[in-house]
Amino acid sequence: PRFTAGRPCRLGAAERKVYSQKGMDGVLEALFACVGTGSRVFVEIGTQAGMQCSTRFLRVRHRFRGYMFDSGHEDCRVGLHRRLVSPREVAGLVTSTLASGDARRLVPSIATAHLDLLAVDTDGGDFHLWRSLCRDGGVLPRVV
């Protein structure tokens, strides 16, 4: 579907699994159809190898670009960086990464206020990362 803002969000029946776990692909697609997009840039923390994650469907089907971080995997072709991200450093990491951009992968340099999607799934440290990003770091994405 086209992403245009202004229609009511009905996410109850939107679940559809293409690459994600548990239907997140359909939910994110429906959510962006509701709220619209801006930069189409994402940051995802805790992606494993990037094959089954929250942002792959948006990257493949809807031309989103962005950055993924995982403590055990790396693939520079898709912007997956091997990095154990701690709450103490996460806001600075996200801010500097977004400000740098990646011309080779066509990811524009943006301010954190223009981030369309921030996804965090670290199996244990999510709350502390969110708090550091949003409260302390001023990262205010369109969708979390």
Side-chain angles (χ1 to χ4, degrees):
R2 271 187 68 210
F3 291 144
T4 55
R7 64 179 206 207
C9 287
R10 291 186 174 80
L11 304 177
E15 286 187 19
R16 188 174 83 245
K17 180 184 182 316
V18 180
Y19 301 113
S20 67
Q21 294 179 340
K22 303 180 181 169
M24 186 62 67
D25 297 318
V27 171
L28 285 172
E29 184 176 56
L31 191 53
F32 277 111
C34 263
V35 302
T37 60
S39 65
R40 292 183 187 252
V41 174
F42 66 83
V43 170
E44 184 170 6
I45 301 169
T47 62
Q48 296 181 344
M51 301 302 289
Q52 184 182 46
C53 60
S54 298
T55 55
R56 184 176 179 196
F57 179 73
L58 294 173
R59 186 171 28 107
V60 171
R61 181 75 57 88
H62 294 289
R63 297 184 182 156
F64 275 58
R65 298 287 180 253
Y67 306 94
M68 299 176 284
F69 298 96
D70 190 85
S71 62
H73 298 89
E74 185 166 26
D75 185 346
C76 62
R77 297 170 300 167
V78 296
L80 173 57
H81 304 274
R82 176 178 275 167
R83 179 119 184 215
L84 179 61
V85 180
S86 73
R88 189 177 68 247
E89 70 169 347
V90 69
L93 174 65
V94 168
T95 300
S96 65
T97 300
L98 291 173
S100 297
D102 185 344
R104 187 178 55 79
R105 291 187 314 104
L106 304 176
V107 183
S109 169
I110 65 166
T112 57
H114 297 140
L115 183 64
D116 268 359
L117 175 64
L118 176 62
V120 178
D121 184 6
T122 61
D123 299 331
D126 298 4
F127 170 76
H128 299 290
L129 290 170
W130 284 113
R131 184 176 60 192
S132 294
L133 283 164
C134 299
R135 185 189 72 187
D136 304 335
V139 177
L140 301 171
R142 183 181 300 258
V143 172
V144 293

